[in-house]
Amino acid sequence: MNSIELRHLEYFLMVSKELHFTKAAEKLGISQPTLSHQIKMLEQEIGYPLFNRVGKKIELTQVGEIVQQEALNIQGSIQSMSSQIAAFTKLEIGELKIAVLPGEITDLVSTLCIQFNHLYPNIKVFIQTTDQVEKAVLENRADFGIGFHLNQYDLLQMTKLYDEEFYLISNQSNVEQRVSFSSVLDSPLILFPSMHQCRKILDKTSYEVGKPLEPIVETSSIESILNLVRSGVGRSVVSRTLYEFYDTEDIFFQLIEKPSLNGEVYLIMKKNCFINYAARKYIKLLVREIEKLHFQTNKGSITSLRSSTL
């Protein structure tokens, strides 16, 4: 039985329901001879008659009863599959998996999840914090990824989202809006641990300028960093993203220069790959938030991203 078609089962189920070929043919919108021929083909494929023909009446054979039950099961499975796919594409159910580098990008992505969950409460969101964002996308462990430093892969599409700046923050107002990186290292610092992306940029830059980086406190909690800065324990270096996202009205910032500290944030997806509805909606929220915060963006990249997520 290698050539049974779904339409053969559909025709069979209609005949088994009506127990009348002419009535079944009318409901199916085909001719009675065509229906009779299709049923005969199905019987030949199965190897047994499906109906007993008694005068003008027909009834299911024992084999026909077996086929009827299994055909109903198949029909139910197809309907269930169609319903699930329809719900998935309408964002009624499903999952969204996002891979992000450890650090401020995680805070951005997590904060947006609050809005996303409010709009689409039946979608489960999984945020995977990893140093291997590209690999997570390539291995289909994430629908898309967001990160700073990227390795180039032929199978991945990299879209620049914005330029991230890093600020020196303290509890004291400063006349100077800018401060040299060397001066940053001369002050007591409260920093993220070495796995954090902001810290990696600091470590790399301090190595390049030949001055050691020796924080007095390390913590992975942005709230703890902000509270310690408020208390005057020391100063810190945080991204603009974190500075904008948290309550920092009583904390002052200076731009860092000579050299400046910044990073390019990219959205990472597979090339020529279907972007599911949940991912498209989340990316739209992300772009809207980036524009609301007035980050320095590449207009061409953002326009292209909008087009690809319509």
Side-chain angles (χ1 to χ4, degrees):
M1 287 186 283
N2 297 322
S3 60
I4 293 179
E5 298 180 15
L6 289 175
R7 64 187 175 89
H8 288 156
L9 296 180
E10 179 188 357
Y11 294 163
F12 165 76
L13 285 174
M14 183 60 73
V15 177
S16 67
K17 177 183 177 182
E18 298 295 329
L19 293 178
H20 196 287
F21 275 89
T22 302
K23 290 181 180 179
E26 289 175 355
K27 291 197 173 184
L28 289 168
I30 61 176
S31 67
Q32 189 272 328
T34 298
L35 178 58
S36 296
H37 177 67
Q38 296 295 322
I39 295 300
K40 185 174 292 185
M41 288 177 62
L42 180 60
E43 288 178 326
Q44 290 175 349
E45 186 63 32
I46 290 173
Y48 293 92
L50 300 175
F51 297 98
N52 287 322
R53 295 160 176 82
V54 183
K56 294 184 178 181
K57 297 181 180 180
I58 60 172
E59 61 182 17
L60 285 168
T61 64
Q62 288 185 326
V63 172
E65 290 175 355
I66 294 172
V67 174
Q68 181 190 47
Q69 185 58 54
E70 294 305 318
L72 287 170
N73 291 340
I74 293 170
Q75 188 181 63
S77 295
I78 292 173
Q79 290 173 349
S80 175
M81 178 179 66
S82 299
S83 297
Q84 290 185 57
I85 291 173
F88 175 76
T89 57
K90 292 177 182 176
L91 211 64
E92 296 172 3
I93 60 171
E95 295 180 351
L96 175 62
K97 297 173 288 184
I98 308 170
V100 295
L101 287 170
E104 43 278 297
I105 298 176
T106 304
D107 289 79
L108 171 63
V109 170
S110 300
T111 302
L112 284 178
C113 282
I114 299 172
Q115 296 181 44
F116 188 84
N117 179 258
H118 177 73
L119 293 169
Y120 313 109
N122 294 323
I123 298 294
K124 295 180 181 179
V125 181
F126 298 91
I127 300 174
Q128 180 184 166
T129 303
T130 174
D131 285 325
Q132 297 180 313
V133 172
E134 299 95 332
K135 187 175 181 182
V137 175
L138 282 170
E139 294 179 354
N140 297 317
R141 289 185 284 112
D143 297 304
F144 62 86
I146 305 175
F148 280 121
H149 305 291
L150 302 171
N151 298 314
Q152 294 298 321
Y153 291 89
D154 291 337
L155 297 177
L156 293 180
Q157 174 183 322
M158 313 289 192
T159 304
K160 183 178 176 180
L161 292 175
Y162 63 92
D163 290 311
E164 180 71 281
E165 295 178 295
F166 293 89
Y167 296 160
L168 176 69
I169 61 172
S170 69
N171 67 346
Q172 296 181 352
S173 176
N174 296 280
V175 177
E176 299 292 333
Q177 293 184 342
R178 299 179 179 274
V179 60
S180 69
F181 183 76
S182 180
S183 298
V184 171
L185 299 180
D186 291 335
S187 59
L189 292 173
I190 303 153
L191 300 177
F192 289 110
S194 57
M195 70 172 290
H196 197 284
Q197 293 305 304
C198 174
R199 177 61 182 277
K200 288 183 177 180
I201 292 174
L202 283 171
D203 287 339
K204 179 177 180 290
T205 308
S206 66
Y207 176 80
E208 289 172 350
V209 301
K211 293 188 71 171
L213 183 63
E214 298 175 349
I216 59 171
V217 177
E218 289 190 10
T219 174
S220 59
S221 168
I222 181 60
E223 289 89 351
S224 296
I225 289 177
L226 295 177
N227 287 332
L228 288 168
V229 170
R230 285 189 183 97
S231 302
V233 174
R235 300 191 289 178
S236 185
V237 176
V238 300
S239 68
R240 179 186 169 184
T241 300
L242 292 184
Y243 185 82
E244 297 278 359
F245 266 39
Y246 288 85
D247 180 15
T248 54
E249 290 184 0
D250 57 344
I251 294 177
F252 304 92
F253 75 88
Q254 291 174 284
L255 297 173
I256 301 169
E257 62 180 8
K258 299 179 181 178
S260 61
L261 295 184
N262 53 62
E264 297 180 336
V265 178
Y266 285 82
L267 179 77
I268 308 156
M269 296 183 290
K270 271 190 173 181
K271 287 182 179 178
N272 304 317
C273 186
F274 173 73
I275 306 172
N276 66 50
Y277 196 70
R280 294 202 302 272
K281 289 297 182 182
Y282 187 94
I283 292 170
K284 285 184 179 179
L285 281 180
L286 175 64
V287 170
R288 189 181 307 159
E289 187 67 23
I290 290 169
E291 292 180 329
K292 187 176 79 173
L293 293 172
H294 301 291
F295 283 142
Q296 184 178 345
T297 61
N298 183 305
K299 290 185 179 180
S301 296
I302 295 298
T303 300
S304 174
L305 191 58
R306 276 206 188 96
S307 298
S308 66
T309 55
L310 286 177

